[in-house]
Amino acid sequence: MATWSRVRTEARAIIRWALRRPEPPPPPGTGQAIQAAEQATARRQILADARAARTTASHCQPTEIVPTVAPGRDTDDGTRADR
Protein backbone atom coordinates (compact mmCIF):
# COMPACT_ATOMS: atom_id res chain seq x y z
CA MET A 1 0.00 0.00 0.00
CA ALA A 2 2.82 2.39 0.86
CA THR A 3 4.50 1.64 -2.48
CA TRP A 4 1.35 2.51 -4.43
CA SER A 5 1.06 5.76 -2.52
CA ARG A 6 4.70 6.59 -3.27
CA VAL A 7 4.19 5.84 -6.98
CA ARG A 8 1.11 8.08 -7.05
CA THR A 9 3.00 10.88 -5.29
CA GLU A 10 5.91 10.66 -7.72
CA ALA A 11 3.59 10.55 -10.74
CA ARG A 12 1.75 13.59 -9.45
CA ALA A 13 5.03 15.48 -8.97
CA ILE A 14 6.14 14.61 -12.52
CA ILE A 15 2.83 15.75 -13.98
CA ARG A 16 3.00 19.01 -12.02
CA TRP A 17 6.55 19.56 -13.21
CA ALA A 18 5.53 18.88 -16.81
CA LEU A 19 2.61 21.29 -16.59
CA ARG A 20 4.68 23.81 -14.57
CA ARG A 21 2.00 24.13 -11.94
CA PRO A 22 3.13 25.08 -8.44
CA GLU A 23 2.61 22.78 -5.53
CA PRO A 24 -0.57 23.53 -3.60
CA PRO A 25 -0.06 25.48 -0.39
CA PRO A 26 0.09 23.51 2.84
CA PRO A 27 -3.09 23.24 4.88
CA PRO A 28 -3.95 26.24 7.06
CA GLY A 29 -2.20 26.23 10.41
CA THR A 30 0.72 24.07 9.29
CA GLY A 31 3.25 26.87 9.79
CA GLN A 32 1.89 27.61 13.24
CA ALA A 33 2.12 23.94 14.23
CA ILE A 34 5.73 23.75 13.02
CA GLN A 35 6.60 26.96 14.85
CA ALA A 36 4.99 25.71 18.07
CA ALA A 37 6.95 22.45 17.86
CA GLU A 38 10.23 24.32 17.27
CA GLN A 39 9.52 26.66 20.18
CA ALA A 40 8.77 23.74 22.49
CA THR A 41 12.04 22.07 21.47
CA ALA A 42 13.98 25.29 22.05
CA ARG A 43 12.29 25.79 25.44
CA ARG A 44 13.24 22.26 26.52
CA GLN A 45 16.84 22.84 25.41
CA ILE A 46 17.08 26.14 27.28
CA LEU A 47 15.70 24.53 30.45
CA ALA A 48 18.11 21.60 30.12
CA ASP A 49 21.04 23.99 29.66
CA ALA A 50 19.94 26.01 32.69
CA ARG A 51 19.66 22.86 34.80
CA ALA A 52 23.12 21.73 33.69
CA ALA A 53 24.63 25.15 34.42
CA ARG A 54 23.01 25.24 37.85
CA THR A 55 24.32 21.81 38.86
CA THR A 56 27.89 22.14 37.56
CA ALA A 57 30.47 24.41 39.13
CA SER A 58 28.03 26.82 40.72
CA HIS A 59 30.30 26.97 43.78
CA CYS A 60 33.13 28.39 41.65
CA GLN A 61 31.18 31.39 40.44
CA PRO A 62 31.61 34.67 42.33
CA THR A 63 28.47 35.95 43.98
CA GLU A 64 29.70 39.51 44.33
CA ILE A 65 32.05 41.59 42.24
CA VAL A 66 34.36 43.69 44.37
CA PRO A 67 36.79 46.32 43.11
CA THR A 68 40.41 45.29 43.06
CA VAL A 69 41.95 48.46 44.48
CA ALA A 70 44.62 47.99 47.10
CA PRO A 71 44.35 50.18 50.24
CA GLY A 72 46.63 53.19 50.17
CA ARG A 73 46.82 53.37 46.39
CA ASP A 74 45.37 56.19 44.33
CA THR A 75 42.25 55.50 42.29
CA ASP A 76 41.57 56.81 38.79
CA ASP A 77 39.83 59.96 40.03
CA GLY A 78 42.80 61.06 42.16
CA THR A 79 41.34 60.12 45.57
CA ARG A 80 42.81 57.54 47.86
CA ALA A 81 41.09 54.16 48.13
CA ASP A 82 41.49 53.84 51.91
CA ARG A 83 39.58 56.99 52.78
Side-chain angles (χ1 to χ4, degrees):
M1 188 69 163
T3 304
W4 177 247
S5 175
R6 174 102 173 135
V7 169
R8 254 185 28 193
T9 303
E10 291 294 327
R12 182 175 171 215
I14 291 170
I15 291 169
R16 284 189 179 278
W17 176 80
L19 298 175
R20 303 260 187 237
R21 293 168 59 191
E23 287 288 324
T30 301
Q32 292 172 345
I34 292 171
Q35 184 180 17
E38 289 174 348
Q39 286 177 346
T41 301
R43 189 178 304 115
R44 282 192 298 272
Q45 185 62 45
I46 289 170
L47 290 173
D49 291 348
R51 264 188 237 109
R54 188 174 52 232
T55 58
T56 59
S58 63
H59 64 281
C60 297
Q61 300 298 322
T63 56
E64 181 180 338
I65 298 174
V66 292
T68 56
V69 178
R73 301 195 106 169
D74 289 338
T75 60
D76 290 340
D77 61 357
T79 60
R80 294 192 49 106
D82 57 348
R83 289 185 190 174

